[in-house]
Amino acid sequence: MVEQQHTTGVEPLRSIGDHGIIGDLETAALVARDATIDYLCWPSLDSPTIFADLLDPGSGGAFTLQPQLDSPEHLQLYVPDTNLLLTRWMADGGSAEVVDLLPLPDARAHPDGAARCIIRRLCVTRGTIRFRASCMPRFDYAREVPAVETLDDGVRFVGRDLSLKMFASVPLEADEGAAVADFILKDGESAWFVLGEDSLSCPLDAAIEADVAATTSAWRHWAGKSLYRGRWREEMTRSALALKLLTSAQHGSIAAAATFGLPEATGAERNWDYRATWIRDASFTVYAFLRLGFIDEAEHFNRWAAARVMAANPDSPIRIMYAIDGSEAADEKELLHLSGYAGSRPVRIGNAAHAQTQLDIFGELLDSVYLSNKYGTAISHKGWQHVRGIIGYVIDHWQEADAGIWEIRGEPRHFLHSRLMCWVALDRAIRLAMQRSLPAPIVEWSRSRDAIAEDIWAHFRHPDHGHFVQERGGTELDAALLMMPLVRFVSSTDPVWLKTLDAIGADLRDDGLVYRYRNADGLQGGEGAFTTCTFWYAECLARAGRMNEAQLMLGKGMAYSNGLGLFSEEVDRRGQPLGNFPQALTHLAFISAAYFIDRKLDPTYRPHWAP
């Protein structure tokens, strides 16, 4: 049985949920509630870390700001409709706040406008406070302590393959592997720190303010494009902004999460690297972007995916996942020198799942292509030829076993979800061909699509209870079955489906928690409840007309976000975040569920499109 296990591990210095995320559409940093930056890969999201204290406290590298205040309260919030993070210290003796951001590419006003950097703007809002700042980067996943060189107006961190510069409005001193500053600010006074590329030069105060203002404006302009006007606007906007941070401005690819190595159960081995583009997760993200009106992001990803398809081997038309730049995903390696979050080892980079067979990815990809064509730009002739190639592959291979959506590390199985998504691939290709009058062997495709449907109805049912099951001939349930009505394979009120929904509720649900499955998966240790599944379940309830249950389940799922509205991959039985963070799949599942429930609650609400 795969159930959550509360292994003790080591008490984390800063928990997963006590973080916000900032980024510049090339990389992203996590900022803890005490204003410590304890996770940052540089220069790209899938590059080695320069700060990784989250995965090895005291040794992984961090950028700290410490006010001398007695027992301050720590508060975090985002500047509204942006990805600028505000962290506050509040105490009887004074209060202060820091705004953290990575300036967006078109919003850099410092002298070397092309140089990328992270800005920390500190301000005292009450009293007189002494601060100590310490920037202690550790390059190459904390395997290298950089040399620190003093500059006329800052410091340089020098490693074998990477150099960074740091400047500040207060005096910096070089320490062993760090740059430090001790200073005092009075009420209304401010200071700033900038850490960035080696081409960076010391900016003026006015340039810092211009960067902050321009990046604020750019984020608000982007968020303002959302067409969503429902009752959960603030939460939807935050989820959209989180998804945007996981999107590469250069490539159009979408990462599954910003992090690696954060465990699905503390002290256990389920610690994976999610800094890659899964075709499945990214295709679902396209769906969420389209629902909110962000068509440019959807089309950029589809161009990226089309390039992967065109470059693929005809015998395997697309891979499960890719690196952010579209190259082959990295092989899995263990970083044995890192102690791991809460003692959860081994810490892994790369992901061995990239070599698996997962037949469901074709359905998710073709669904995103279909929707993008319906609400965006029409598919090209060359693109359609590649779609036909994918469909040919699906027709030839849909009856095979695979590793499934959950990437089971064991013998391949005949999973219903994989079979379902092969049906989706054919169904969406047929719809697209008919709507766009594209040349295609519709009769042949329809015959194969119907054969898959007949196979599912005949061979993926519980022998005694009649509801759908995880795999052919089995009896176990799987939360991935919740996708069946969401992709319109089965009516959301079909008696067999309602039996399945009730069975999932009875077997996989624990109040507001929903687990992926209960049976063995070839890995040691347990895991938490999968936050995505809570929202899938809520949407299925709504589609079945059980609105009171759906609203309550949606509310419970929303409560699993941290105070900033960010979702982790999983939660434990106490509702505490587990796994990589923030996770795209959960944010997009929330968007889908909330969007549909909005439509059901308010018959007068007319979204710009209604799939």
Side-chain angles (χ1 to χ4, degrees), residues 282-321:
S283 297
F284 282 146
T285 305
V286 166
Y287 183 68
F289 276 143
L290 285 171
R291 279 199 152 180
L292 299 180
F294 296 111
I295 294 175
D296 290 345
E297 284 71 21
E299 293 192 341
H300 197 182
F301 169 75
N302 280 329
R303 291 194 297 271
W304 178 90
R308 309 285 77 75
V309 173
M310 292 176 186
N313 185 327
D315 294 333
S316 181
I318 198 164
R319 295 181 182 273
I320 296 163
M321 70 181 79

Side-chain angles (χ1 to χ4, degrees), residues 176-509:
E176 186 176 350
V180 299
D182 291 283
F183 56 97
I184 296 174
L185 295 178
K186 299 178 181 178
D187 185 1
E189 293 182 337
S190 62
W192 53 259
F193 301 84
V194 177
L195 175 69
E197 295 176 315
D198 199 38
S199 59
L200 187 70
S201 60
C202 186
L204 301 174
D205 291 355
I208 295 295
E209 294 303 318
D211 273 2
V212 173
T215 299
T216 300
S217 178
W219 279 120
R220 284 178 172 162
H221 175 73
W222 185 82
K225 294 180 180 179
S226 173
L227 300 178
Y228 176 76
R229 298 294 182 268
R231 66 194 65 209
W232 293 291
R233 184 183 180 281
E234 184 175 345
E235 293 86 352
M236 287 284 214
T237 298
R238 180 51 50 203
S239 285
L241 285 163
L243 291 174
K244 181 64 172 176
L245 280 179
L246 300 176
T247 303
S248 169
Q250 179 181 359
H251 304 291
S253 52
I254 305 168
T259 58
F260 67 94
L262 295 180
E264 296 172 4
T266 54
E269 69 160 343
R270 297 170 184 261
N271 315 311
W272 316 115
D273 188 346
Y274 281 10
R275 300 168 304 155
T277 297
W278 270 253
I279 293 298
R280 173 193 308 110
D281 297 45
S283 297
F284 282 146
T285 305
V286 166
Y287 183 68
F289 276 143
L290 285 171
R291 279 199 152 180
L292 299 180
F294 296 111
I295 294 175
D296 290 345
E297 284 71 21
E299 293 192 341
H300 197 182
F301 169 75
N302 280 329
R303 291 194 297 271
W304 178 90
R308 309 285 77 75
V309 173
M310 292 176 186
N313 185 327
D315 294 333
S316 181
I318 198 164
R319 295 181 182 273
I320 296 163
M321 70 181 79
Y322 294 86
I324 300 298
D325 65 1
S327 61
E328 186 172 349
D331 291 331
E332 194 168 291
K333 297 179 181 177
E334 296 181 356
L335 301 180
L336 299 179
H337 65 287
L338 295 178
S339 61
Y341 175 86
S344 305
R345 303 180 70 185
V347 176
R348 296 181 177 92
I349 56 173
N351 201 306
H354 78 83
Q356 290 182 342
T357 297
Q358 297 174 20
L359 294 171
D360 67 292
I361 64 170
F362 303 109
E364 285 101 0
L365 178 62
L366 265 295
D367 192 47
S368 72
V369 170
Y370 168 74
L371 292 173
S372 294
N373 271 266
K374 190 173 182 179
Y375 301 103
T377 303
I379 193 169
S380 68
H381 174 74
K382 187 174 183 180
W384 179 243
Q385 296 307 116
H386 284 285
V387 166
R388 292 185 61 170
I390 289 174
I391 294 303
Y393 183 89
V394 170
I395 290 173
D396 290 341
H397 296 275
W398 68 263
Q399 299 185 66
E400 297 175 3
D402 71 346
I405 183 176
W406 307 129
E407 303 180 343
I408 303 298
R409 298 201 174 192
E411 288 299 315
R413 305 179 194 174
H414 291 272
F415 290 105
L416 186 151
H417 180 266
S418 297
R419 201 65 47 97
L420 169 71
M421 285 300 167
C422 287
W423 178 90
V424 170
L426 282 153
D427 181 73
R428 301 317 190 254
I430 292 167
R431 292 190 191 197
L432 184 55
M434 296 179 70
Q435 290 176 4
R436 296 288 190 186
S437 299
L438 298 168
I442 300 294
V443 173
E444 177 190 348
W445 289 1
S446 298
R447 189 179 298 117
S448 294
R449 180 194 60 182
D450 295 346
I452 297 174
E454 290 170 3
D455 181 61
I456 290 173
W457 281 99
H459 300 122
F460 290 82
R461 306 269 298 279
H462 194 285
D464 299 321
H465 305 300
H467 60 69
F468 293 110
V469 293
Q470 180 186 55
E471 60 182 305
R472 187 176 67 188
T475 59
E476 298 288 345
L477 288 160
D478 186 334
L481 302 181
L482 293 166
M483 291 300 298
M484 297 181 76
L486 304 189
V487 298
R488 304 191 178 219
F489 173 83
V490 64
S491 166
S492 56
T493 57
D494 184 283
V496 174
W497 168 249
L498 292 178
K499 280 186 178 182
T500 307
L501 182 60
D502 287 340
I504 289 173
D507 189 62
L508 299 182
R509 184 173 65 89

Side-chain angles (χ1 to χ4, degrees), residues 26 105 108 110-117 197 199:
E26 295 181 70
R108 297 170 188 153
H110 47 77
D112 300 291
R116 297 173 55 221
C117 64
E197 295 176 315
S199 59

Side-chain angles (χ1 to χ4, degrees), residues 58-59 61-62 132 134-138 144-150 155-158 173-180:
S59 300
R132 180 172 178 82
S134 175
C135 181
M136 187 180 69
R138 295 293 180 261
E144 181 184 8
V145 178
V148 185
E149 300 177 353
T150 301
V155 298
R156 174 187 281 122
F157 300 102
V158 182
E173 296 181 2
D175 200 352
E176 186 176 350
V180 299

Side-chain angles (χ1 to χ4, degrees), residues 492 537-547 549-551 593 596-597 600:
S492 56
Y537 187 75
E539 184 170 350
C540 285
L541 289 172
R543 288 179 180 269
R546 295 156 63 173
M547 292 304 300
E549 295 175 73
Q551 291 180 77
F596 183 82
I597 291 172
K600 296 287 284 187

